[in-house]
């Protein structure tokens, strides 16, 4: 019938319908809605039992479909946003992490920062944001901070060495109100922080802040005063690092009282565990103010006053109060020009520091004369670090130091000529699987010393050693180097420095084959320094080949005529190269 109707329609639709067609049409119009849906009436039994009409159920299904569509649209938008995040990070060579966004050393530009800001809305779970060491983003930080409200749960924000300007610091301060959970703020190595910009930011810091790092920010005495006024408003502050700000204690418009105010305010920082004041130009007045706050710092575990030469001769002002720090674990006083009187005052208080594990008095030449009394006063069984490099050790003090060696994880007697020919005294005191670092740079070691070192390797005393520094010991002969590399027993070694002094050179052909054979037995090695050792092009190729499949930083001098070394090589001077000859 339908096909006939269809045919008539195709023929023009002008023919009259038959009486039967008219009758059937009238019957269809009279049928109820329920009659037109017999299956719905029987299958929708739940609707009948609850008294919900089928039309209402249909509307409900439509509404649920619309709601589901909105949810699916939101999920789809979120997926698209996360995809944009992944693409952005992949372009920078980073892996996507919804909680930790680390973009340090990525050469971020202003355009990158602008795009990163727009992506923060897709990272609601972000807890750590690190854009440190991106010096091209200076002056453009507002492009990022204007979106920080999307990551209100962020707990760590690191912006080290980004050439931040005063405007950047102002923009950051304005945005800190949207980060109520912030615990760690690191603005180190940004000279634009000091000179007034910091003061606007400090007022917006949240009470939740636990760590504040302001290293090398060119802070002034006025900044120190402003920081001092904030300390009492940060009840959770545990780490304060204002190192490398030499102007912090210098006289200014306030008469130089800025640092004194900061030091005095520390009496309110009861939660402080780490205080770093390295190279802050401490004066005697500042030392007095700091000493007066120590009795209010029962939780302090690390105190760094290193590189403050002006406290020379005045350390007794501090040591009288150090006994209050019953939980102190680390005390750093290296390069402070400590006098014999200073060291004697320190020795007297050491028995009270029963929790001490690290004491650094290195690069203080007078320290060589008090090693015996120092070792006698220390809680040796707890000590892990006692560096004495650059301390003008003599034979007596070197012998006294050997008493502490069995407990130490790190031994550093670099720049001590007395070690040459006497290394066996130190090595015989080593305990297996204890020492992790052994630094013997510029000690005038002999071949016999290296043979003793090889024997210690065979005994297993250096099985856990990770760092071995034998640089600037060109006095040792080829047989000593060969014996060391043939000994084995250095399976945990990660760094080894064999470099010679600047302006010197020597061939390594006699012991290089032994070193090449030893490389497979050094599975943990990540850095090998061989600066100023000369070798033929064939020997260079052999060394490169032996390390080709290893991620090892090889520091050596470029071959003649080469601009760069052929295998991840560098031409950097060893850090010890800047130390004075004793």
């Amino acid at each position: 019938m339908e096909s006939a109707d269809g045919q008539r329609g195709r023929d023009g639709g002008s023919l009259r319908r038959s009486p039967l067609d008219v009758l059937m049409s009238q019957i269809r119009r009279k049928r109820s809605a329920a009659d037109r849906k017999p299956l719905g009436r029987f299958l929708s039994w739940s609707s009948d039992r609850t008294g919900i009409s089928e039309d209402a159920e249909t509307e409900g299904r439509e509404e649920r479909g619309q709601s589901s569509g909105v949810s699916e649209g939101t999920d789809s938008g979120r997926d698209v946003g996360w995809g944009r995040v992944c693409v952005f990070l992949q372009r920078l060579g980073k892996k996507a992490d919804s909680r930790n966004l680390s973009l340090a050393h990525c050469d971020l530009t202003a355009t990158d920062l602008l795009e990163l800001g727009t992506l923060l809305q897709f990272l609601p779970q972000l807890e750590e944001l690190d854009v440190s060491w991106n010096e091209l983003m200076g002056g453009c930080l507002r492009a990022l901070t204007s979106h920080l409200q999307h990551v209100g749960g962020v707990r760590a924000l690191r912006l080290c060495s980004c050439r931040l300007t005063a405007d950047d610091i102002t923009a950051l301060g304005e945005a800190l109100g949207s980060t109520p959970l912030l615990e760690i703020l690191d603005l180190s190595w940004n000279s634009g922080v000091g000179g007034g910009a910091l003061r606007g930011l400090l007022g917006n810091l949240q009470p939740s802040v636990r760590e504040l790092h302001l290293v090398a920010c060119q802070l002034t005495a006025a900044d120190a005063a402003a920081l001092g006024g904030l300390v009492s408003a940060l009840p959770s502050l545990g780490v304060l690092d204002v190192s490398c700000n030499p102007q912090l204690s210098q006289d200014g418009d306030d008469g130089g009282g800025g640092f004194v105010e900061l030091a005095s305010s520390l009496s309110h920082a009861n939660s402080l565990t780490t205080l770093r004041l390295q190279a802050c130009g401490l004066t005697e007045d500042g030392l007095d103010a700091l000493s007066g706050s120590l009795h209010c710092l029962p939780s302090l575990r690390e105190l760094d006053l290193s590189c403050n030469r002006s406290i020379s001769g005045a350390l007794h002002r501090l040591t009288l109060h150090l006994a209050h720090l019953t939980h102190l674990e680390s005390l750093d006083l290296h390069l402070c020009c400590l006098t014999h009187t200073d060291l004697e005052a320190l020795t007297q208080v050491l028995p009270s520091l029963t929790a001490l594990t690290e004491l650094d008095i290195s690069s203080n030449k007078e320290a060589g004369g008090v090693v015996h009394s120092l070792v006698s006063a220390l809680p040796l069984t707890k000590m892990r670090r006692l560096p004495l490099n650059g301390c003008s050790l003599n034979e007596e003090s070197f012998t006294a130091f050997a008493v502490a060696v069995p407990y130490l994880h790190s031994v550093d007697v670099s720049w001590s000529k007395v070690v040459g020919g006497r290394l066996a005294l130190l090595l015989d005191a080593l305990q297996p699987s204890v020492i992790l670092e052994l630094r013997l740079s510029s000690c005038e070691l002999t071949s016999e010393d290296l043979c003793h070192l090889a024997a210690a390797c065979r005994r297993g005393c250096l099985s856990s050693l990770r760092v071995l520094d034998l640089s600037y010991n060109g006095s040792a002969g080829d047989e000593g180097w060969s014996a060391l590399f043939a000994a084995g027993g250095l399976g945990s070694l990660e760094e080894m420095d064999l470099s010679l002094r600047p302006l010197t050179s020597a061939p390594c052909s006699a012991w290089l084959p032994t070193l090449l054979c030893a490389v497979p037995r050094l599975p943990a090695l990540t850095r090998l320094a061989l600066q100023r050792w000369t070798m033929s092009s064939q020997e260079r190729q052999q060394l490169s080949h032996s390390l080709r499949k290893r991620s090892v930083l090889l520091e050596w001098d470029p071959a003649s005529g080469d601009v760069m070394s052929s295998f991840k090589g560098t031409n950097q001077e060893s850090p010890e190269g800047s130390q004075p000859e004793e």
Side-chain angles (χ1 to χ4, degrees):
M1 182 70 68
E2 291 180 3
S3 61
D5 292 340
Q7 183 62 39
R8 283 195 297 270
R10 286 190 293 273
D11 291 342
S14 59
L15 298 178
R16 296 180 59 185
R17 292 182 294 173
S18 66
L20 180 60
D21 291 336
V22 174
L23 179 62
M24 293 299 296
S25 178
Q26 293 175 350
I27 293 174
R28 291 190 185 99
R29 284 196 297 269
K30 291 180 181 180
R31 292 174 61 184
S32 66
D35 290 336
R36 291 198 302 268
K37 300 178 182 178
L39 289 178
R41 202 172 36 168
F42 290 106
L43 297 179
S44 302
W45 58 274
S46 60
S47 298
D48 294 340
R49 295 181 62 171
T50 56
I52 301 176
S53 68
E54 190 169 287
D55 290 339
E57 187 184 39
T58 302
E59 293 177 2
R61 282 197 297 268
E62 290 176 353
E63 292 176 358
R64 288 194 296 272
Q66 293 174 358
S67 176
S68 176
V70 173
S71 177
E72 290 176 359
T74 302
D75 292 341
S76 177
R78 188 180 297 114
D79 291 341
V80 171
W82 178 247
R84 287 177 55 193
V85 172
C86 294
V87 171
F88 176 75
L89 294 176
Q90 186 176 13
R91 189 170 73 241
L92 297 173
K94 299 289 184 176
K95 292 184 179 180
D97 187 334
S98 62
R99 296 184 182 276
N100 186 352
L101 191 58
S102 179
L103 299 175
H105 301 282
C106 285
D107 293 327
L108 295 180
T109 63
T111 304
D112 294 327
L113 207 61
L114 185 63
E115 182 176 359
L116 175 60
T118 63
L119 295 177
L120 290 184
Q121 59 182 310
F122 306 116
L123 295 166
Q125 297 179 324
L126 192 66
E127 296 182 357
E128 297 187 23
L129 176 59
D130 186 354
V131 290
S132 300
W133 307 101
N134 289 290
E135 297 186 347
L136 299 178
M137 57 182 273
C140 308
L141 191 61
R142 191 177 294 274
L144 179 66
T145 58
S146 60
H147 298 274
L148 281 183
Q149 70 272 13
H150 296 298
V151 289
V154 69
R155 297 180 182 275
L157 182 58
R158 296 181 173 88
L159 296 159
C160 305
S161 190
C162 291
R163 290 194 177 182
L164 299 184
T165 64
D167 290 338
D168 291 329
I169 302 303
T170 300
L172 177 60
E174 295 171 353
L176 287 180
S178 60
T179 58
L181 302 181
L182 188 66
E183 298 179 355
I184 302 173
L185 179 61
D186 193 345
L187 301 176
S188 299
W189 307 101
N190 286 291
S191 58
V193 175
L198 178 66
R199 280 162 262 175
L201 178 142
L202 293 178
N204 295 313
L205 279 181
Q206 301 296 319
S208 58
V209 171
R210 293 189 301 105
E211 296 186 18
L212 184 58
H213 301 267
L214 299 170
V215 179
C217 288
Q218 291 193 7
L219 301 184
T220 63
D223 294 322
L227 191 57
L230 173 74
V231 168
S232 60
L234 299 177
S236 300
L237 187 64
V239 177
L240 177 60
D241 191 350
V242 291
S243 298
C244 303
N245 287 289
Q247 298 179 352
L248 204 63
S249 302
Q250 292 183 2
D251 292 343
D253 295 337
D254 60 355
F259 182 81
V260 172
E261 184 174 343
L262 171 59
S264 300
S265 70
L266 294 177
S267 60
H268 302 289
N270 298 328
S271 300
L272 201 64
T273 60
T274 300
L275 178 60
R276 300 188 184 120
L277 300 172
Q278 182 189 66
C280 285
L282 284 182
T283 62
E284 293 187 7
D285 290 340
L287 206 58
D288 285 338
L290 178 61
S291 300
S293 297
L294 291 184
H295 70 281
C296 299
L297 302 176
S299 301
L300 196 66
R301 285 173 167 75
E302 179 184 342
L303 179 59
D304 185 353
L305 303 177
S306 60
C307 304
N308 285 291
R309 298 173 185 248
S310 55
I311 68 175
S312 176
L315 191 64
H316 65 279
R317 297 171 181 256
L318 179 75
T319 54
L320 292 174
H321 304 273
L322 279 179
H324 295 293
L325 305 179
T326 55
H327 296 287
L328 190 66
E329 298 174 358
S330 175
L331 178 60
D332 194 343
L333 294 167
H334 82 267
L335 201 61
C336 285
C337 295
L338 298 182
T339 65
H340 188 80
T341 303
D342 291 329
L343 292 164
E344 286 184 337
L346 176 62
T347 301
Q348 291 175 5
V349 76
L350 287 179
S352 302
L353 305 179
T354 56
L356 199 66
T357 62
E358 300 184 11
L359 175 62
D360 191 346
I361 55 171
S362 61
S363 300
N364 288 291
K365 293 186 176 181
E366 294 293 330
V370 298
V371 173
H372 186 275
S373 56
L374 198 71
V375 170
S376 301
L378 285 170
L380 288 184
T381 57
K382 293 184 178 180
M383 291 301 296
R384 297 297 176 262
R385 288 189 69 249
L386 183 59
L388 293 177
N389 51 295
C391 287
S392 298
L393 298 180
N394 54 36
E395 186 173 352
E396 180 182 355
S397 56
F398 182 63
T399 303
F401 173 65
V403 177
V405 168
Y407 310 100
L408 302 179
H409 289 175
S410 175
V411 173
D412 189 350
V413 289
S414 298
W415 303 92
S416 300
K417 295 180 179 180
V418 69
V419 179
R422 298 180 179 86
L423 185 59
L425 179 66
L426 186 149
L427 296 176
D428 290 342
L430 293 177
Q431 295 297 316
S433 304
V434 174
I435 189 169
L436 303 178
E437 296 185 7
L438 179 58
R439 301 184 183 274
L440 303 168
S441 178
S442 189
C443 285
E444 292 194 355
L445 299 182
T446 65
S447 296
E448 186 178 359
D449 289 326
L450 294 185
C451 289
H452 284 298
L453 187 58
C457 291
R458 288 191 293 270
R459 293 196 305 269
C461 293
L462 304 178
S463 58
S464 299
L465 193 68
R466 297 175 185 173
V467 178
L468 178 59
D469 185 357
L470 300 175
S471 60
Y472 300 179
N473 283 292
S475 52
D478 295 335
E479 64 276 13
W481 297 112
S482 297
L484 175 61
F485 302 138
L490 295 172
S492 300
L493 193 65
E494 299 174 2
E495 299 184 21
M496 181 163 60
D497 194 342
L498 310 175
S499 300
L500 297 176
R501 291 178 180 275
L503 305 179
T504 64
S505 64
C508 61
S509 301
W511 50 262
L512 184 61
T514 310
L515 175 60
L516 294 176
C517 292
V519 166
R521 292 176 293 170
L522 301 173
L525 192 66
T526 59
R527 173 178 173 263
L528 176 61
L530 293 169
Q531 291 177 332
R532 290 169 288 279
W533 286 103
T534 59
M535 58 188 78
S536 66
S537 58
Q538 182 179 0
E539 290 170 337
R540 295 175 66 88
Q541 291 177 0
Q542 291 175 342
L543 183 58
S544 296
H545 180 76
S546 66
L547 299 174
R548 183 174 54 187
K549 297 182 180 179
R550 304 270 298 276
S551 181
V552 178
L553 175 63
L554 179 58
E555 298 180 8
W556 57 359
D557 296 318
S560 179
D562 290 350
V563 177
M564 291 294 292
S565 173
S566 61
F567 184 78
K568 296 181 69 174
T570 65
N571 197 21
Q572 302 171 349
E573 294 293 339
S574 177
E576 293 83 1
S578 61
Q579 293 213 29
E581 184 70 26
E582 289 187 20

